[in-house]
Amino acid sequence: MMNAIKQLFGIGPKTDFAQLVKDGAIILDVRSKGEYAGGHIRGSVNISVDTLANNLDKLKDKNKPVITCCASGMRSASAKNILKSKGYTQVYNGGGWYGLQQKIR
């Protein structure tokens, strides 16, 4: 119960996104193609959140870390939940792509 409350409020250990990327995490940008074309993290994979469930074949290894990102963090949270429900074991919400880019430099 306490862990659920801590997660809800973002209290607890911070995710080291830079280390996850160094360890080979996939950065999954779930914005539209148009948004992605306007700027994105180099090397990221673009699958919009509304087509994610039908494109899981592009994320073959369910045990490889995946960091979701979007414009603000709302769609990436939804994408994280979709991936977790489909059996992906290491999924992290990176929030907005621009902020995530600053964290992984």
Side-chain angles (χ1 to χ4, degrees):
M1 175 75 164
M2 193 58 146
N3 285 337
I5 293 171
K6 285 182 180 181
Q7 278 187 322
L8 180 66
F9 291 102
I11 301 169
K14 297 284 183 197
T15 302
D16 186 345
F17 292 108
Q19 188 61 50
L20 285 169
V21 171
K22 286 178 188 171
D23 292 343
I26 296 168
I27 298 174
L28 177 63
D29 191 318
V30 297
R31 296 176 296 148
S32 70
K33 288 184 189 294
E35 288 174 292
Y36 186 79
H40 59 270
I41 297 172
R42 189 172 10 152
S44 61
V45 175
N46 179 227
I47 305 171
S48 65
V49 70
D50 54 336
T51 65
L52 182 58
N54 295 324
N55 285 290
L56 295 176
D57 57 321
K58 295 179 181 175
L59 304 170
K60 294 179 181 13
D61 187 351
K62 290 186 175 188
N63 296 310
K64 187 170 187 169
V66 177
I67 303 169
T68 61
C69 66
C70 62
S72 67
M74 296 299 289
R75 288 176 284 180
S76 57
S78 294
K80 176 184 174 182
N81 290 334
I82 291 167
L83 293 174
K84 293 293 264 182
S85 74
K86 299 293 184 182
Y88 289 80
T89 59
Q90 297 184 67
V91 187
Y92 306 88
N93 182 358
W97 76 271
Y98 188 78
L100 177 60
Q101 183 170 255
Q102 304 309 310
K103 293 175 187 172
I104 63 174
R105 286 187 171 177

